[in-house]
Amino acid sequence: MNAITIIGSINLDRTIRVKQMPKPGETMHTKEIFSAGGGKGANQAVAAKRSGAVTNFIGAVGNDEAGQMMTDLLSQEEINLAGIATLDNQATGQAYIIVDDQGENSIMIHAGANNVFTPAHVNQHEELIKSSDFLITQFESAMDSTITAFKIARQAGVKTILNPAPALEQVPEELLEVTDMIIPNETETEILTGITITDEDSMKKAADQLHQLGIEAVIITIGSKGAFYDVNGRSGIVPAFKVKAVDTTAAGDTFIGAMSSILKNDFSNLEEAITYGNKASSLTVQRFGAQPSIPYKNELD
């Protein structure tokens, strides 16, 4: 059973369901409105935990109702919350999500406390990182804290997994230098490498460029087509499962959390782990909401 530490974002998601996306200046009635646990970091932690991994979290919430709700939800999942700080005078991260009848979404995020926790806070939880098999992060929280955590992991021989989302125009080289696996989508891959993703050949070229930065394993997620991987001389596409999507929120996070729960430290079972992650996200997209849609291990087995 893998031990996974996530450093990243915790958001309260407020989701609005509509028939189609509103145009600028348009007012429309909604079909449904609901709140649920979210944030890329918290979603990945829930996915890893529900797939059987020992899961720790490093991050922050505000001293407010949303923060209490989120720590209660993560506590119910039996995720280790020792690394979560509660910050006064900061709002808990929140996301406002619009989902249409085609399952497409539009998301606006207020980072709040996610962007405020510090490298000093990360250093307090050094032992948590060192006791892990994998450390996973995204780009919804403070970059200097993320880099600090990845450096601790690298020195301790803990494998680091970077999900470079939401996309940044400039990713610090300091972070890429201590990244063992990177998991971008097609858009994020183009931003990172300058290579437009059109086919397997372009994905291979992009992966080679990322390897040159010292990154051992590359997975490029390609939506309903599945995922391309390139690691230690092996590469290919693992196809996605064909399903009817109703809400794609948290699909990528579910993939990463579930995959990392069974991934071997040397990446030798990467194809098997990707298939498992694909299966998990295929269930997620058939349900509404972020964390409520993430499947449990017994559903996947």
Side-chain angles (χ1 to χ4, degrees):
M1 189 188 292
N2 282 342
I4 293 167
T5 296
I6 313 269
I7 176 167
S9 57
I10 302 169
N11 292 335
L12 177 63
D13 285 356
R14 301 187 188 277
T15 301
I16 299 168
R17 286 185 58 209
V18 293
K19 189 175 178 185
Q20 74 265 337
M21 290 291 173
K23 299 180 184 71
E26 182 181 8
T27 301
M28 62 166 57
H29 286 285
T30 64
K31 297 170 71 169
E32 186 184 5
I33 186 163
F34 60 90
S35 297
K40 294 187 74 60
N43 296 343
Q44 289 167 13
V46 169
K49 181 64 185 174
R50 289 185 184 175
S51 277
V54 174
T55 309
N56 311 305
F57 204 99
I58 297 174
V61 294
N63 190 3
D64 54 21
E65 192 181 344
Q68 187 62 56
M69 191 187 298
M70 284 309 304
T71 49
D72 285 350
L73 286 171
L74 294 174
S75 180
Q76 285 166 24
E77 299 287 342
E78 298 184 347
I79 291 166
N80 177 9
L81 308 185
I84 297 180
T86 300
L87 305 177
D88 290 327
N89 307 315
Q90 292 294 335
T92 297
Q94 295 195 38
Y96 295 84
I97 303 166
I98 303 172
V99 182
D100 70 13
D101 279 355
Q102 278 63 56
E104 292 300 323
N105 61 27
S106 179
I107 305 175
M108 293 146 285
I109 295 168
H110 176 72
N114 293 316
N115 258 352
V116 187
F117 71 92
T118 61
H121 172 68
V122 173
N123 283 324
Q124 287 170 13
H125 301 285
E126 192 174 332
E127 292 310 314
L128 213 56
I129 296 169
K130 288 180 175 177
S131 67
S132 307
D133 296 298
F134 295 100
L135 175 69
I136 305 174
T137 198
Q138 336 72 36
F139 287 157
E140 284 186 346
S141 54
M143 183 62 75
D144 52 353
S145 300
T146 296
I147 292 169
T148 299
F150 265 44
K151 285 181 173 176
I152 292 168
R154 173 56 66 91
Q155 285 167 354
V158 173
K159 288 290 172 81
T160 56
I161 299 177
L162 173 62
N163 173 214
L168 295 181
E169 286 303 325
Q170 194 67 48
V171 180
E173 273 185 36
E174 204 180 354
L175 180 63
L176 297 173
E177 284 165 0
V178 286
T179 295
D180 294 305
M181 173 185 277
I182 193 164
I183 310 178
N185 63 19
E186 294 155 286
T187 308
E188 291 148 8
T189 302
E190 184 174 347
I191 289 169
L192 283 162
T193 64
I195 296 168
T196 303
I197 301 303
T198 52
D199 54 14
E200 195 166 342
D201 188 49
S202 57
M203 287 188 268
K204 182 80 180 82
K205 283 181 181 150
D208 288 343
Q209 196 169 311
L210 292 165
H211 291 317
Q212 283 167 21
L213 298 168
I215 299 169
E216 183 183 353
V218 176
I219 297 174
I220 300 172
T221 56
I222 45 180
S224 60
K225 296 192 284 290
F228 169 85
Y229 68 92
D230 193 304
V231 61
N232 301 328
R234 311 193 315 274
S235 70
I237 290 175
V238 179
F241 292 82
K242 295 280 177 262
V243 297
K244 178 163 172 43
V246 299
D247 181 2
T248 55
T249 310
D253 299 330
T254 300
F255 169 78
I256 291 166
M259 181 202 68
S260 64
S261 73
I262 68 162
L263 187 62
K264 289 183 177 165
N265 208 266
D266 60 0
F267 304 140
S268 60
N269 69 334
L270 186 58
E271 297 90 337
E272 178 198 348
I274 290 172
T275 301
Y276 185 81
N278 281 347
K279 192 189 284 189
S281 62
S282 76
L283 289 177
T284 296
V285 299
Q286 294 179 73
R287 306 164 177 174
F288 288 104
Q291 287 164 26
S293 70
I294 297 170
Y296 291 84
K297 188 175 190 304
N298 62 350
E299 296 176 79
L300 299 171
D301 292 343

